Amino acid sequence: MNITIKNEHAAVTCQTLGAELLSYKTAAGKEYMWQKDPAYWAKTSPVLFPYIGAVPQAVVIHGKAYDMPRHGFVKDADFEVTRQGEDYVILTTQTTDFTASVFPYDFTFTVTFRLNGPELCVTYGVTNKGSEEMPFLIGGHPAFFCPMEEGERFTEYFLHFEDEGVEDLHLQYPMFDHDAILYENLSHRTVKLIHQCTGRGIRFDFPGYETVAFWTPIKKDAPFLCIEPWCGGTMDQVPNTHLLEKKYVQCLPAKESKDYSFSFQPC
């Protein structure tokens, strides 16, 4: 089921399957989200939990191997609408027989979409319902059109960081030939994807996350870029699927909850 929220600045559509964000349109009708062309990538914004990345064999948790899907299972879970208003919606999923077979913890997971003026804030809420500490990785994977205007090119865009000494990253397709590019240890959790001439694009804030990755499909010259806020692992750790050995692994105490938020808006 698709759900649309809106205000005077924008309209946002998500779906209950995977709580996936599908669309962000300005009041003038301009779309910023990638629209699932399977020739390049058939997703728009999957939710990554409780694992991030490929699973070469199995994910090991406290010495036991589990058949965890790539990027976890929440992206394929059925969510229910918990609360909804004109400019926000809260979606919820929780433990099932399947999730218990690949992740031995009792949890509730919520996704909140909320418009604040032109800004869309996306919050992932994790609750550990069990009696022991729960380890997990968590992240977002939203894809934005790049280029954003007709007549522009992917290579005319760059990523601008707020940290002093972190250089702008001018986009070239070959830089993604070895998968995503990950940035760690940023003091300012803000990045802008903007056109080199117009200075227009999007501002992306990820205060709830340790790292941010950038990805577009290898050797496809795809007209989009994913901006992925992560808590969990680095690119060199992909072969190591021991969950508790992952960098930035989150460990949530029993009966506690934690929120992870990112937001974006046109700039």
Side-chain angles (χ1 to χ4, degrees):
M1 179 176 72
N2 288 359
I3 300 163
T4 297
I5 60 174
K6 60 184 178 180
N7 62 14
E8 66 272 26
H9 299 279
V12 168
T13 300
C14 64
Q15 65 181 16
T16 51
L17 176 61
E20 186 175 7
L21 174 63
L22 302 177
S23 171
Y24 174 102
K25 286 184 179 180
T26 64
K30 179 175 176 53
E31 177 66 75
Y32 280 85
M33 304 301 302
W34 169 245
Q35 292 298 294
K36 291 192 174 187
D37 182 348
Y40 297 101
W41 191 50
K43 292 283 189 179
T44 295
S45 184
V47 182
L48 314 183
F49 176 88
Y51 197 78
I52 296 174
V55 184
Q57 295 180 336
V59 172
V60 177
I61 306 174
H62 292 298
K64 186 175 179 180
Y66 295 90
D67 293 327
M68 180 75 68
R70 178 186 178 92
H71 287 325
F73 49 72
V74 161
K75 67 185 187 305
D76 302 309
D78 291 319
F79 280 73
E80 295 183 353
V81 178
T82 305
R83 289 168 53 194
Q84 183 177 1
E86 185 176 3
D87 59 0
Y88 78 94
V89 63
I90 302 174
L91 307 175
T92 303
T93 193
Q94 56 190 337
T95 310
T96 65
D97 289 343
F98 169 72
T99 68
S101 72
V102 298
F103 184 65
Y105 299 96
D106 191 13
F107 68 91
T108 297
F109 193 96
T110 63
V111 179
T112 302
F113 297 100
R114 187 180 299 273
L115 279 166
N116 298 309
E119 178 187 59
L120 175 64
C121 183
V122 182
T123 302
Y124 301 155
V126 185
T127 298
N128 179 2
K129 296 164 63 179
S131 58
E132 59 182 342
E133 187 177 72
M134 182 174 74
F136 58 89
L137 312 181
I138 188 169
H141 204 312
F144 300 94
F145 277 122
C146 185
M148 299 180 191
E149 300 289 349
E150 189 174 348
E152 296 177 345
R153 294 182 296 174
F154 182 89
T155 53
E156 294 171 349
Y157 279 76
F158 66 95
L159 293 163
H160 174 72
F161 302 89
E162 300 294 315
D163 282 33
E164 185 177 349
V166 178
E167 295 183 357
D168 294 342
L169 182 66
H170 291 265
L171 299 183
Q172 301 288 335
Y173 284 116
M175 66 177 53
F176 299 97
D177 282 354
H178 300 287
D179 212 345
I181 299 170
L182 185 78
Y183 280 72
E184 305 177 77
N185 304 315
L186 294 173
S187 298
H188 300 280
R189 307 288 171 85
T190 297
V191 63
K192 293 179 180 178
L193 173 62
I194 49 181
H195 189 266
Q196 63 187 16
C197 296
T198 68
R200 294 178 181 174
I202 61 163
R203 172 189 171 120
F204 191 96
D205 296 281
F206 50 104
Y209 295 87
E210 300 288 346
T211 67
V212 62
F214 305 98
W215 176 82
T216 193
I218 296 172
K219 299 185 186 302
K220 287 191 175 182
D221 291 2
F224 70 87
L225 182 75
C226 291
I227 303 178
E228 306 179 40
W230 289 357
C231 288
T234 50
M235 299 311 296
D236 61 324
Q237 284 191 302
V238 171
N240 180 3
T241 54
H242 289 256
L243 182 59
L244 286 125
E245 295 177 6
K246 285 288 190 177
K247 198 171 184 180
Y248 307 119
V249 63
Q250 304 294 287
C251 293
L252 188 62
K255 310 303 181 184
E256 291 195 9
S257 301
K258 187 173 182 180
D259 288 343
Y260 299 81
S261 294
F262 66 85
S263 63
F264 64 88
Q265 61 183 305
C267 66

